Amino acid sequence: MRNRPIWFVVFSLVSAACSLRAQDAITSTSTGQEETAEAEEVVVSATRFDIPLDQSPASVSVITSEDIEQKQIQRVSNALREVPGLSVVQTGTAGQLTSVFMRGLPSQDMQVLLNGIPINQGLAGQFDFANLTTDDIDRIEVVRGPQSTLYGPRALAGVIQIFTKRGEGQPGISLSAEGGSYDTFREWSQSDGKIDNFDYSVGASRLDTDNARPNNNYRNTAGIADVGWSPNPPSPGTGSAVASEQLRIGSLFTYSVSDTGNPNTIFDPRPIDHFLTERWLIAPNDDWQATDWWEHKLIFAYDHERQINDPNQDGFVGPTRALFERTTVDYQNDLRPASWLTLTSGFFYSRVNAGQERPFVLQIFGPQPRFISDHTEEIAGFLQATLVPITNLLFVAGGRLDQFNQFGGVWTYRFAGSYKIDKTNTTVHSSVATGFSPPSSQDKIFGDNFGLKPEKDLGWDIGVRQELWENRAAVGATYFHNDLSNVIGFNGLFKTLNLGAAETQGLEAELRAQPIVDLIFTASYTYLDAEKTSSADISQPQGARLPRRARNEVYISVSYLWYKRLRTTADAKFVNAREELNFGGPNFDIEDYNFVNIAAEHE
């Protein structure tokens, strides 16, 4: 785009002139940080309803929009690098496949949610974080440990739930533009607000970069909107939004399209191989608080993904087109018959159609199908009881039954609890739970086995969270252990079978401190031991370390506000002791790596 730099400069000037919010964002952040240090942070994903973070029975980390803004993070995958227990693996430059391993378990064993809606997509059943931007994100909650009792399939390792912003107050808009080397340009906009009984938040961005190598360019356009309507706005002058929140009818919309060049090898790059991915989602939803002790939530969602690899220069199948569509219905009912008891029940339905068209597949190995597909239906029901029998003691017990059209029913359970000692400001939490991850469409149709059973996990953890220094600092540590069975692997004849077992265990630790008003320090550390414990799968010998799982990961971040105007942030990560698969032989080591990011903004 020859005139792109000119339009970029014009857009930058307009952006500077069109910031409509009459707020001193950095100053207000500074003056409010003392209150923030003592504020009671609330999480949803650990129980499916609001509870204070220091009472969570699960190991939870929260990334706020303020964290994202201070570090100038553009993609969700980069924000997740600071969370203990997570390992982010990117196969190349921006736009290439980006996977997240949780507690040593692969991406397809982790459920990713957007406002409660599952968004794992594609034939592999995993979520590719390459194209997920931070537009319009309010916070990210990471819940580690099996969560299938609450969230069903693919929550074997845990859950990453992303929440969009909810429009409040006077409408405003923010615009920005930036550019850099390799013809890199990015434009971004965000707006939110509330007008009478209508609220909205929208975000959109565009990224173009050629990267350093030929045919390694990346183009990404993304948009997201969360709109809602409440029939009973708060009374004028009361300042209360309780009435308006008794009923909210809303909808979530997302769209993204990305085009990525795939040069593949360094010494023999593919000159024109490109990969296009287009996704969209629409999700009408309803939140109704019938009384103080009875709430309902209903979500109907439809999402669609198409992928085109044309040309596909792999020398075997040629150009391909993959399609994925899903319809889900999620209903949740929270009933509080007593002050010390909350009963959470729900119903879940999912229908998935996935397939791949390979019009030019070679027939050198005999007749090969040119279109392969898979159809999966699921119906589930769950019940969870949350008890607070005495002050500061919380106990959770629940069960869930998922019924599939292909392999029948799967039963999961979860027991978890936490106790806070007020005198020392210490919280102890522990959980034991089962989880499962069904075979993906890719496992079934490319492995020629529709009789696969779900992978299963029995996991437990125990941890402690300690508030220090009048709540200016918080430190947490958790030990975890997972035993996996029915792990899907290869038998040497290009067929997938349930023939593996594995074990992961380790330690997660994190620290957040605010010694003075304008200084914020965070750090995290993960130790992981992950090994294969069976000899059936030929890809690795028994006792081998699972590939691409780092043994040690360390993250550090420091942010300081100078003179109430200049915010500087630096963060760094170190990753070591990874191994790569050697297909039957001993694994070989992958080189350690580290990175440092520096960001600054002046008001």
Side-chain angles (χ1 to χ4, degrees):
M1 190 177 295
R2 184 173 300 173
N3 294 325
R4 186 65 176 276
I6 298 175
W7 286 111
F8 173 78
V9 172
V10 173
F11 185 85
S12 299
L13 294 174
V14 173
S15 300
C18 293
S19 182
L20 303 184
R21 289 197 185 279
Q23 298 178 9
D24 186 338
I26 293 183
T27 304
S28 64
T29 300
S30 169
T31 56
Q33 280 176 348
E34 285 183 325
E35 297 179 4
T36 302
E38 299 181 2
E40 191 174 53
E41 195 165 13
V42 172
V43 296
V44 176
S45 305
T47 55
R48 288 187 69 133
F49 62 87
D50 293 354
I51 61 168
L53 178 60
D54 60 5
Q55 294 182 18
S56 171
S59 181
V60 182
S61 296
V62 180
I63 303 170
T64 66
S65 58
E66 289 79 10
D67 297 329
I68 293 172
E69 291 168 5
Q70 288 176 5
K71 298 169 186 177
Q72 301 182 25
I73 298 173
Q74 300 175 1
R75 293 187 298 155
V76 171
S77 58
N78 290 332
L80 296 175
R81 294 181 187 274
E82 66 184 69
V83 179
L86 298 190
S87 181
V88 179
V89 178
Q90 185 171 307
T91 58
T93 54
Q96 300 295 332
L97 176 64
T98 305
S99 303
V100 175
F101 294 78
M102 181 179 288
R103 290 185 170 177
L105 305 179
S107 292
Q108 61 267 27
D109 291 343
M110 178 187 67
Q111 184 66 270
V112 183
L113 303 164
L114 179 62
N115 288 1
I117 304 161
I119 57 175
N120 289 38
Q121 291 180 317
L123 295 176
Q126 63 186 26
F127 185 80
D128 182 5
F129 283 88
N131 307 312
L132 183 60
T133 64
T134 56
D135 303 339
D136 201 41
I137 287 180
D138 179 64
R139 71 185 189 280
I140 305 170
E141 295 181 3
V142 181
V143 186
R144 298 177 289 275
Q147 305 296 322
S148 290
T149 301
L150 289 179
Y151 300 103
R154 309 214 176 279
L156 181 150
V159 167
I160 295 176
Q161 180 153 203
I162 302 161
F163 293 91
T164 58
K165 294 181 178 179
R166 177 71 63 86
E168 296 179 351
Q170 183 178 356
I173 185 171
S174 299
L175 304 170
S176 70
E178 58 189 61
S181 54
Y182 306 121
D183 286 332
T184 300
F185 299 98
R186 178 178 182 265
E187 299 85 31
W188 169 86
S189 65
Q190 197 274 331
S191 177
D192 62 78
K194 191 167 186 176
I195 304 173
D196 295 330
N197 49 5
F198 173 78
D199 66 84
Y200 77 95
S201 65
V202 296
S205 64
R206 167 75 181 188
L207 173 64
D208 295 79
T209 181
D210 289 342
N211 289 316
R213 298 171 56 199
N215 191 38
N216 202 18
N217 56 302
Y218 175 54
R219 310 285 183 259
N220 182 62
T221 302
I224 186 170
D226 185 358
V227 298
W229 175 77
S230 301
N232 300 313
S235 302
T238 62
S240 173
V242 175
S244 65
E245 293 303 321
Q246 288 181 350
L247 174 63
R248 181 182 185 267
I249 301 172
S251 188
L252 178 69
F253 308 90
T254 70
Y255 176 81
S256 70
V257 59
S258 63
D259 189 18
T260 306
N262 294 322
N264 199 25
T265 61
I266 295 177
F267 301 105
D268 184 24
R270 300 169 180 173
I272 56 175
D273 195 336
H274 261 242
F275 190 76
L276 182 141
T277 302
E278 183 181 37
R279 296 173 177 156
W280 61 271
L281 175 148
I282 179 172
N285 53 80
D286 172 37
D287 294 340
W288 179 37
Q289 183 176 345
T291 68
D292 292 339
W293 47 269
W294 196 13
E295 297 180 25
H296 305 265
K297 297 179 181 179
L298 177 64
I299 301 173
F300 175 85
Y302 176 81
D303 59 323
H304 184 279
E305 177 187 80
R306 69 183 183 103
Q307 297 179 337
I308 300 176
N309 194 183
D310 185 10
N312 181 4
Q313 298 177 313
D314 63 357
F316 180 62
V317 300
T320 59
R321 181 172 66 101
L323 297 174
F324 175 92
E325 64 170 1
R326 170 176 48 201
T327 302
T328 60
V329 179
D330 189 304
Y331 170 71
Q332 177 180 334
N333 176 22
D334 294 325
L335 183 65
R336 299 178 179 86
S339 60
W340 51 270
L341 175 63
T342 301
L343 298 175
T344 301
S345 59
F347 166 85
F348 181 80
Y349 169 79
S350 173
R351 184 187 66 190
V352 172
N353 291 310
Q356 187 181 80
E357 183 181 33
R358 309 179 297 173
F360 303 108
V361 63
L362 300 179
Q363 306 294 317
I364 58 177
F365 296 109
Q368 301 291 319
R370 286 184 166 85
F371 185 81
I372 47 182
S373 62
D374 176 44
H375 172 75
T376 304
E377 287 195 23
E378 172 199 1
I379 299 176
F382 66 90
L383 174 64
Q384 172 186 267
T386 303
L387 300 87
V388 187
I390 61 174
T391 304
N392 293 341
L393 175 63
L394 184 143
F395 181 74
V396 173
R400 177 178 176 127
L401 178 62
D402 292 78
Q403 187 74 27
F404 290 84
N405 63 322
Q406 293 178 345
F407 48 79
V410 181
W411 164 259
T412 55
Y413 64 84
R414 177 187 183 221
F415 298 97
S418 68
Y419 181 66
K420 182 178 181 181
I421 307 171
D422 283 333
K423 187 175 182 179
T424 60
N425 225 353
T426 305
T427 301
V428 180
H429 61 84
S430 181
S431 69
V432 57
T434 56
F436 77 100
S437 184
S440 68
S441 297
Q442 179 173 278
D443 293 328
K444 289 179 280 188
I445 61 183
F446 291 109
D448 189 27
N449 187 353
F450 280 81
L452 290 170
K453 299 296 183 182
E455 297 181 347
K456 295 185 177 181
D457 174 37
L458 173 61
W460 60 272
D461 60 27
I462 183 170
V464 61
R465 175 184 170 90
Q466 179 66 59
E467 301 283 348
L468 301 167
W469 203 359
E470 297 179 346
N471 294 338
R472 295 181 185 178
V475 60
T478 301
Y479 173 81
F480 64 88
H481 185 98
N482 291 294
D483 285 311
L484 292 96
S485 59
N486 280 356
V487 176
I488 296 173
F490 296 97
N491 67 347
L493 300 174
F494 298 99
K495 189 171 184 178
T496 53
L497 298 170
N498 292 110
L499 41 71
E503 177 184 272
T504 74
Q505 58 185 336
L507 176 69
E508 303 160 347
E510 56 185 330
L511 166 68
R512 182 179 180 90
Q514 191 174 350
I516 58 177
V517 173
D518 298 323
L519 177 64
I520 301 174
F521 177 83
T522 60
S524 66
Y525 169 72
T526 303
Y527 171 80
L528 175 65
D529 184 20
E531 70 173 49
K532 181 185 170 188
T533 56
S534 71
S535 59
D537 186 346
I538 68 164
S539 63
Q540 282 184 288
Q542 185 175 359
R545 182 173 178 82
L546 299 183
R548 295 180 294 279
R549 275 75 160 181
R551 189 179 296 274
N552 298 287
E553 297 193 39
V554 179
Y555 172 87
I556 298 174
S557 172
V558 180
S559 178
Y560 188 71
L561 184 64
W562 306 80
Y563 312 112
K564 310 298 182 183
R565 290 285 183 178
L566 174 64
R567 167 75 64 184
T568 57
T569 303
D571 65 323
K573 186 157 190 175
F574 172 74
V575 178
N576 92 316
R578 295 177 300 155
E579 298 178 357
E580 185 53 280
L581 193 65
N582 199 20
F583 295 100
N587 293 346
F588 58 86
D589 292 337
I590 304 177
E591 186 177 359
D592 302 342
Y593 76 89
N594 56 76
F595 65 81
V596 176
N597 292 325
I598 299 175
E601 60 176 349
H602 186 273
E603 177 69 12

